[in-house]
Amino acid sequence: MLSINDLRASIEGKEILKGINLEVKPGEVHAIMGPNGSGKSTLASVLAGREEYEVTGGNVVFEGKDLLELAPEERAAEGIFLAFQYPVEIPGVTTINFLKTAVNEIRKYKGEAPLDAAQFLKMVREKAKLVSMNDSLLKRALNEGFSGGEKKRNEVFQMAVLEPRLAILDETDSGLDIDALRIVAEGVNTLRSPERATIVVTHYQRLLDYIVPDYVHVLYKGRIVKSGPKELALELEEKGYDWIKAEVEAVG
Amino acid sequence: MSTETIDLKTRLITDFHAREAVLNGEASSEFHQKKRAGLARFEQLGFPSIKHEEWKYSNVRDLISVSYDFNAESSIGLAELEDLKVPAQEANILYFVNGRYNAGLSTIISPVEKITISSLAEAYKNDPSKVASFFNELTKDADDAFTALNTAFTQDGVFIHIPDNQSVEHPIILRFVSDAREQNVGSQPRNIISVGKNAHVKLAEAFRTLGDQRSFTNAVTEIHVAEEANVQYYKVQNESENAYHIGTTQVRMLDRSHFYAGTVTLNGKFTRNNLNIVLDGEHCDAHMYGLYFPDGSQHVDNHTVADHQKPNSESNELYKGILRDKSKGVFNGKIFVRPDAQKTNAFQSCKNIVLSPDATMNTKPQLEIFADDVKCSHGTTTGQIDEEALFYMRSRGISRPEAMSLLMFAFCADVVSQIKIDSVREYLENVITRKLASK
Ligand SMILES: Nc1ncnc2c1ncn2[C@@H]1O[C@H](COP(=O)(O)OP(=O)(O)OP(=O)(O)O)[C@@H](O)[C@H]1O
Ligand SMILES: [Mg+2]
């Protein structure tokens, strides 16, 4: 489904991703962990198409298409979804209106007729229930004045509405209380299917208790320096990153 | 160039004397004496050059380089004016074509025995001394050539008088149409609006040009807001690529009154709006909202004044603009707090999005505060579209142009939502949506 080959990217002349390789198959969940500043959000942003990053090498193939050739909106329409680590506040645009535009733009891309107001509302209500998203938030300006947890929940809600093939969750667990964490994780799990895949960026095992990964990768200084089964996350939780850093330095 | 300048001025003065010669007895009337004083003022001031502090960024050279027919006839019909649809029975609609009232096109539904809504010419016929006493009362000290010129040439406009404690249930919509299909046309409407104690009214002035020839509108509106009155006043300009518009709205507010102004410039070659509010009472509040969207080589200049003369009043101002292509915007917001005006609250903000490197915006807040116990704030921002927001929207599948127009529409929303006449607000929403989607 997604194949990342020796991907390199830089910003303002500084190389952040230094050759990433990752293979994601339908139905899989991959967790990406790693110390602060190692490049996890950068990887997520490059996959979503943020234009500030310059791709300096490698390639990314998504469902047979050269992903890096596509505009961010085309990637979304092809089925990529990024839950932002820091969701953006957009005054004056309501969450509901924003989502309606998004849904219908994607339908247009696929050559489908737009949903009418009733169909859209019915669908949105179901999805809102799925992640216990409060109705009043839908009518407010997108993320404006939302609490940290409400913003994260809104990301998962949007994901539920857009039903992406590949969801990338960038620290969606941070800022969530225990109950919210469970609800959000359940939302993610409900969407899991043999056709869909998820990349979960997180610092904590507790999310992975709910969303159990097939693989865990450690990103350090712009490279994936270690990959393993779900137990690797437990080991990291226990021992921290020093031993991995030491391994990397030893190899040089 | 300078000979042309002299030309229009001389032509206008000559024209004035020619008209005066056929006035007979009317020449000695109070009304005409005021017009004469206006002419003298205009003669003395002359058209401003960019050396004039108030006209530094707005050059009228182009505007005065040609002549205009101020008496052009027009056979325009309602079919050509359907852009702003106001459902019948929902508003008083008065049409002014090339500056003169057109009774055939207009509908007045408010009870005329209670409320005077008529053309200035007709009001003058009915009650010359009343109209003459209101005429130019608020603008008599204006140090502005265009206001003086309007005074000298006042022929028509609207005269609205709302007695104390009356509420005008239906909004009043004044439509000023310049028919420039055949020739360069000029008009100088003068509107006089007197709102009595505890009276309420919503009114809008909508300016429109038809045709490709030039139009020059030099409009002056005087609004008297008595104690406890509530006035919502909107000005909408959707004129042509060849339309020159200079307008002054002069407002005087008395104790505990409320005044809301919304000025929206959708289109026009050269626009200069002066909105001057004198808060001549305690516990008044004045609100000024503005919005402008120049593109091409259009020029929009908004000059506003909130003049606090008495204690305990508040003024609140928000202007927003989106500038494209090679357009120019000017905002000059003056706040005066006179020595007596303790406990004044005055807020001003001007925010702009500049979408092209060739577009420019000049903003100048000007605060002159002579009292010590006041709260004043002002701020201006000029920036580009928020790239973070744009990426967020695109990452959800919304195309760049669609995301841009959503963001820009949202940017305008807090001004548009202030327009409390539904048909006018809906009209604005439609035109703005179309305008934002066009590029
Ligand atoms: N706009 C930018 N300009 C300069 N450096 C940047 C910019 N954006 C990111 N970086 C740098 O790139 C590096 C990787 O950042 P990134 O956000 O990808 O880290 P991360 O792994 O997501 O960290 P965290 O766990 O704290 O979220 C950091 O050193 C960061 O400072
Ligand atoms: Mg990060």
Side-chain angles (χ1 to χ4, degrees), chain A residues 50 73 82 105 155 158, chain B residues 388 392 394 396 399-400:
Chain A
R50 190 187 282 274
E73 55 268 36
L82 169 62
E105 287 265 294
E155 293 294 287
Q158 291 177 37
Chain B
E388 278 294 305
Y392 188 71
R394 295 177 74 192
R396 299 299 183 249
S399 66
R400 191 185 164 88

Side-chain angles (χ1 to χ4, degrees), chain B residues 134-160:
Chain B
F134 273 110
F135 173 52
N136 208 35
E137 241 344 81
L138 300 184
T139 36
K140 61 174 181 263
D141 299 322
D143 195 13
D144 174 59
F146 288 97
T147 303
L149 185 64
N150 177 293
T151 303
F153 284 90
T154 293
Q155 274 188 306
D156 214 346
V158 78
F159 185 82
I160 298 172

Side-chain angles (χ1 to χ4, degrees), chain B residues 167-241:
Chain B
S167 282
V168 186
E169 186 191 346
H170 301 290
I172 304 170
I173 297 178
L174 310 172
R175 296 205 59 186
F176 297 90
V177 181
S178 294
D179 183 354
R181 291 179 296 188
E182 304 283 331
Q183 61 205 310
N184 293 346
V185 294
S187 61
Q188 307 205 55
R190 166 78 59 148
N191 302 316
I192 297 172
I193 295 147
S194 161
V195 185
K197 287 181 193 169
N198 189 36
H200 295 233
V201 66
K202 290 180 194 166
L203 61 126
E205 297 176 346
F207 293 87
R208 169 98 195 279
T209 309
L210 293 182
D212 299 328
Q213 304 304 309
R214 275 207 200 192
S215 66
F216 167 33
T217 303
N218 179 31
V220 175
T221 296
E222 302 178 68
I223 308 179
H224 302 255
V225 186
E227 289 86 349
E228 281 157 57
N230 186 317
V231 180
Q232 313 258 349
Y233 163 79
Y234 311 117
K235 180 167 178 173
V236 176
Q237 296 158 308
N238 194 7
E239 301 186 78
S240 73
E241 300 304 323

Side-chain angles (χ1 to χ4, degrees), chain A residues 36-37 39-42 85-86 170-171 201 203:
Chain A
N36 294 132
K40 303 181 296 296
S41 293
T42 302
Q85 182 174 4
Y86 304 108
D170 190 359
E171 295 199 29
V201 176
H203 288 293

